Amino acid sequence: MGIDGDASNTALLLRLGLSSTLDSPSKPHNYHIPNKNPSFLKLEATSFDDEPSLTLGLSGGALATATQKVDVKPAAASAGDLYPQASSVTVSAVSSFSSGKAKRERELSSEELMEVEKKNNSSRLSDEDEEGVNGRKKLRLSKQQSALLEESFKQHSTLNPKQKQALARQLNLKPRQVEVWFQNRRARTKLKQTEVDCELLKKCCETLTDENRRLQKEIQELKALKLAQPFYMHMQAATLTMCPSCEITSGVADGKRNSNNPFSMASKTHHFYNNNPLSNPSAAC
DNA sequence: AGGAAGAATATGATTACTTCA
DNA sequence: TCTGAAGTAATCATATTCTTC
């Protein structure tokens, strides 16, 4: 897939390049291509038809002065020998202007490339050489590598460049691979956490549903009680006015008020809910 | 054969730094 | 010299692809 994408980009850019004059790019230094917007790229490239700084000759190095990225290209090509999955090497002159590839080629610069070349005889190299350049080859991390990565991840879920380099050296991997591993690891962690949160919310939802059901039932019971209220209110008024221990004298008035407000829980609780007015009227006190 | 795991890739956003008018 | 705009590079999150088991 990635290769197809590269191919299409290549076709586009080559076409644009050929439509331009290949010599003397007039804006070699400041030319900027928004690598995240192909349509914009096309527009801008055509609008600069007479200033063809986008002519990325397939011969490679033709526009070596165009950008810093192009300077990296020969090194990237050598790295491509090591890492066949980076098949974009064949179109590196073009793809170096697209975000992902450009980044990777950037990463293969300087000391890393030296390191990569040092590793020419590593076991991984022989494996990848055998795989050829078609399609990407999936690396299988060894248990030791995974353990060390996990250990490192426990300490810090993100790496600074030095840590990344050191870890890559230690693991005999590319810094990019370490970076990718950490990115994926963070993503997996987040996914796991999301799943845990989801489970938690489900349980919470179930609890609330139960609670809601219980409260609905209670409402039904209260409504049923309310139907019988005239009888109870009558009793209540009489009882309250005669409460011997509290000597509540406002019973009648309160009783009237409460009868107008059947949801007055304080009075209801006092007289109906917590106590049986029929058995012991003064117990609530 | 089909699914899961996970490595790799693509893409967009953000930030810091540099350059230049 | 200061400043703001534009360009560049690095890094991250996220989504997706694709290989391997």
Side-chain angles (χ1 to χ4, degrees), chain A residues 49 67 163:
Chain A
D49 223 15
T67 67
Q163 289 170 326

Side-chain angles (χ1 to χ4, degrees), chain A residues 123-173:
Chain A
S123 58
R124 292 190 66 253
L125 170 61
S126 58
D127 287 346
E128 288 173 359
D129 275 345
E130 285 172 10
E131 302 296 344
V133 285
N134 289 334
R136 65 185 180 201
K137 209 60 196 166
K138 185 174 172 177
L139 164 75
R140 209 66 201 180
L141 294 171
S142 70
K143 283 188 177 178
Q144 289 93 334
Q145 284 174 319
S146 294
L148 191 53
L149 284 164
E150 284 290 348
E151 191 64 30
S152 183
F153 186 81
K154 276 180 193 168
Q155 290 168 12
H156 24 61
S157 60
T158 55
L159 292 175
N160 64 36
K162 279 187 180 178
Q163 289 170 326
K164 187 176 30 170
Q165 286 284 346
L167 201 53
R169 233 190 310 274
Q170 202 173 348
L171 294 166
N172 200 29
L173 293 172

Side-chain angles (χ1 to χ4, degrees), chain A residues 211-255:
Chain A
E211 177 73 1
N212 189 41
R213 204 171 293 135
R214 191 184 65 76
L215 290 170
Q216 292 287 350
K217 197 179 169 187
E218 208 168 297
I219 286 172
Q220 293 301 320
E221 287 172 3
L222 287 171
K223 279 181 180 173
L225 278 173
K226 190 188 168 189
L227 287 177
Q229 198 172 26
F231 169 73
Y232 285 119
M233 291 310 294
H234 203 72
M235 296 288 293
Q236 177 192 26
T239 304
L240 285 173
T241 49
M242 294 188 296
C243 180
S245 55
C246 298
E247 293 181 347
I248 296 172
T249 55
S250 59
V252 174
D254 284 345

Side-chain angles (χ1 to χ4, degrees), chain A residues 26-83:
Chain A
S26 57
K27 286 187 177 177
H29 204 65
N30 292 333
Y31 195 85
H32 171 61
I33 297 179
N35 51 25
K36 291 161 191 168
N37 191 338
S39 59
F40 183 46
L41 166 65
K42 184 181 177 183
L43 178 65
E44 190 166 294
T46 46
S47 69
F48 278 91
D49 223 15
D50 54 340
E51 295 180 355
S53 52
L54 187 56
T55 52
L56 307 166
L58 286 179
S59 58
L63 294 175
T65 58
T67 67
Q68 290 176 326
K69 295 171 192 170
V70 177
D71 294 339
V72 176
K73 187 178 51 117
S78 67
D81 296 335
L82 272 178
Y83 303 99

Side-chain angles (χ1 to χ4, degrees), chain A residues 88-107:
Chain A
S88 63
V89 164
T90 53
V91 290
S92 61
V94 170
S95 63
S96 65
F97 282 95
S98 68
S99 62
K101 299 288 191 302
K103 250 172 66 176
R104 247 153 275 129
E105 288 173 8
R106 258 180 262 132
E107 292 231 11

